[in-house]
């Protein structure tokens, strides 16, 4: 039991460090890990109380490995919320659900559907593993949409005071990142360097000046040709 708890704590700490690296926000990482902990605790209660199983080898393995499976859905939701450029928390959560809600549900359905084939197994350990995988997927999906999303909508970060990279980066770097975010939110395309083959302003003005002159000379030559043919 002690080794299982140690492995579980190590898995949680690895997940927390990964969230801090990918999102860069301490509060978002804390909310995601909290949702993952609630998922694992609910799964443990389901296994021990509802299914009335003893804590054995499969339960010990599932308690540590299911952390990675549980954090998958919550990480997608948290990262989409953190990357959304919207003025309010409600709009950020709405945009996150619109962008990744279908993908999260689709991933959960494929995982849960794959575990169904373990239900008719004669080996009892495989049956237990299938039930735990199926229950973990449904519980993680439930906590992602009905706990994490409302939590981010209520007290999700809207400033840089919880941003880890804002503490580390210098002021010019933060100003550059804020300018890039503002440009993306307005939808302004980034300026690219002019091509060396593109005509310059002087060439375009000279071309516009030469076109009417050439047309006038062509008209004079046609009129002279018509006069000569008439003679």
């Amino acid at each position: 039991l002690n080794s299982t708890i140690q492995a579980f704590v190590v898995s949680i700490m690895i997940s927390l460090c990964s969230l801090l690296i990918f999102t860069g926000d301490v509060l978002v990482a804390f909310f995601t890990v909290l949702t993952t902990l609630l998922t694992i605790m609910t799964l443990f209660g389901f296994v021990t109380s509802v299914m009335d199983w003893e804590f054995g080898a499969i339960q010990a393995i599932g308690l540590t490995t299911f952390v990675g499976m549980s954090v998958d859905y919550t990480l997608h939701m948290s990262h989409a919320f953190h990357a959304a450029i919207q003025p309010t928390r409600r709009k950020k959560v709405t945009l996150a659900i619109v962008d990744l809600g279908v993908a999260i549900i689709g991933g959960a359905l494929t995982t849960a559907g794959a575990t169904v084939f373990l239900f008719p197994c004669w080996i009892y350990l495989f049956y237990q593993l299938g039930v735990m995988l199926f229950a973990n997927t449904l519980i993680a999906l439930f906590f992602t949409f009905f706990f994490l999303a409302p939590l981010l909508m209520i007290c999700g970060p809207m400033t840089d005071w919880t941003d880890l990279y804002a503490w580390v980066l210098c002021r010019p770097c933060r100003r550059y990142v804020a300018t890039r975010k503002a440009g993306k939110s307005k939808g302004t395309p980034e300026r690219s360097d002019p091509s060396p083959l593109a005509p310059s302003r002087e060439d375009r003005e000279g071309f516009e000046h030469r076109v009417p002159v050439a047309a006038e000379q062509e008209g004079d030559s046609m009129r002279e040709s018509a006069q000569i043919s008439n003679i």
Side-chain angles (χ1 to χ4, degrees), residues 68-223:
M69 297 185 62
S70 302
V71 80
D72 186 17
Y73 311 110
T74 56
L75 176 60
H76 282 82
M77 180 65 67
S78 300
H79 187 269
F81 173 84
H82 182 68
I85 307 299
Q86 295 294 331
T88 61
R89 297 185 180 93
R90 184 182 182 88
K91 291 184 179 180
K92 288 170 71 73
V93 174
T94 302
L95 183 61
I97 294 175
V98 170
D99 290 343
L100 292 180
V102 178
I104 293 174
I105 295 175
L109 290 178
T110 53
T111 304
T115 60
V116 173
F117 296 96
L118 293 174
F119 291 168
C121 289
W122 289 2
I123 301 177
Y124 194 62
L125 295 179
F126 289 163
Y127 168 75
Q128 288 182 327
L129 183 62
V131 172
M132 292 176 62
L133 284 169
F134 186 82
N136 178 78
T137 303
L138 296 183
I139 293 171
L141 190 66
F142 175 81
F143 274 100
T144 299
F145 285 103
F146 296 100
F147 177 77
L148 180 61
L151 184 62
L152 293 173
M153 193 178 296
I154 295 172
C155 53
M158 293 295 295
T159 58
D160 293 337
W161 69 275
T162 57
D163 195 346
L164 185 63
Y165 295 128
W167 299 347
V168 177
L169 296 177
C170 58
R171 184 174 296 179
C173 296
R174 284 183 290 176
R175 189 181 300 113
Y176 173 75
V177 172
T179 305
R180 293 293 299 272
K181 287 184 178 180
K184 290 181 180 179
S185 62
K186 294 180 181 179
T188 56
E190 298 181 359
R191 296 182 61 184
S192 58
D193 296 334
S195 174
L197 301 179
S200 61
R201 181 178 179 181
E202 291 78 7
D203 296 338
R204 291 196 299 269
E205 292 179 353
F207 177 76
E208 293 174 357
H209 177 70
R210 289 193 299 269
V211 169
V213 175
E216 184 178 356
Q217 291 177 357
E218 184 178 359
D220 294 339
S221 62
M222 292 179 63
R223 286 194 294 270

Side-chain angles (χ1 to χ4, degrees), residues 8 12 33-47 59 62-71 136 139-140 143:
F8 177 75
I12 291 295
V33 172
L34 177 62
T35 307
T36 305
L37 286 174
L38 292 176
T39 302
I40 298 300
M41 291 171 62
T42 306
L43 176 65
F44 184 75
F46 171 79
V47 169
Q59 287 75 21
L63 189 64
T64 56
T65 58
F66 289 168
V67 173
M69 297 185 62
S70 302
V71 80
N136 178 78
I139 293 171
F143 274 100

